[in-house]
Amino acid sequence: MSRPRPAARRLAAALLLLGAVAYTAWVLELVIATGLDPVRAYVSELAAADQPLGGLFRATDLVAGLLVLAGALTAPAGGAGPRGPAGSPRAERQPWAVAGWAALALFGGATALDSRLPLSCAPTGDPVCAARETAGLVPATHTAHAVSSSLAMLGALAALVLLTVAARRHGQWPALARFGPPLVLAELAATLWTLAAVAAFTADRGTWALGVGQRLQVLLVALYLALLAGCLARPGGAAARRAAAHPHPAAPAAPAAGPPNPPTLPNPPTPPRGEP
């Protein structure tokens, strides 16, 4: 069984943390005028081909996806995963952790692909674009973008659930075991909100604050990535704390060898009776 490699684990943590930062590049719209309404607009509309800052946001999406993909592939090589009672790594034998890292890799790869399939225009901010999209007169990249975005979010949701279950079952990442479940529930709620808003917009019934729901969705994913990075950088759990607090007693030392016993001399023969 391979030993954990701290350098690889720390590298994976750094990659995931940087990926989380890049994935939240959309917050620049708070200080930079984009011309889009953050309450109504898709996050991906910031990277649309006709937007003035589209190139910037496409680049940050590409960087975020590649960083997360690299981190998800590096983490298992560093022994990142649940450990047995004696502290031996068992991530490669734990289906929850293995599937979680695979799902995170799917998220990273689909996010990088998503950046190469931008929308041609911003449908929530341009009525002409919305009409063309409804009539099917937009480039095929709109459909491809919807597929890659769905794959990315599916991978993110699966990774959140699977890695949280792995943390709770094996006690290796106490922070993830504690904060993972509320983050998963919040992510599910934000996803349902986003899906309902997309359906309402498609049916021409308003946007239902689509932009807010989707921004909350991607923000929660970024927070989860940062939390996961922290767990990789500082591994530990209940088993490790118990082992540190109650180390195994040392085996008793063998008794020291003393000087050899003197040889036993035979008793002299007893003379017969009557003899002096």
Side-chain angles (χ1 to χ4, degrees), residues 83-85 167-175 177 235-246:
R83 296 170 182 259
R168 292 182 65 84
R169 283 173 64 91
H170 303 286
Q172 177 61 18
W173 299 320
R241 289 194 299 269
R242 285 196 299 269
H246 304 286

Side-chain angles (χ1 to χ4, degrees), residues 70-118:
L73 295 177
T74 305
R83 296 170 182 259
S88 59
R90 301 193 311 173
E92 66 273 16
R93 291 165 47 185
Q94 297 299 335
W96 293 103
V98 171
W101 291 121
L104 195 63
L106 171 63
F107 163 72
T111 299
L113 178 62
D114 207 37
S115 70
R116 303 300 91 192
L117 300 169

Side-chain angles (χ1 to χ4, degrees), residues 24-106:
T24 54
W26 54 269
V27 299
L28 292 173
E29 66 182 350
L30 299 177
V31 295
I32 300 176
T34 63
L36 296 173
D37 182 0
V39 176
R40 294 168 47 89
Y42 292 102
V43 174
S44 55
E45 289 182 77
L46 294 169
D50 67 342
Q51 294 301 304
L53 298 176
L56 169 64
F57 290 109
R58 288 194 295 273
T60 55
D61 282 349
L62 176 62
V63 170
L66 293 178
L67 285 171
V68 173
L69 175 61
L73 295 177
T74 305
R83 296 170 182 259
S88 59
R90 301 193 311 173
E92 66 273 16
R93 291 165 47 185
Q94 297 299 335
W96 293 103
V98 171
W101 291 121
L104 195 63
L106 171 63

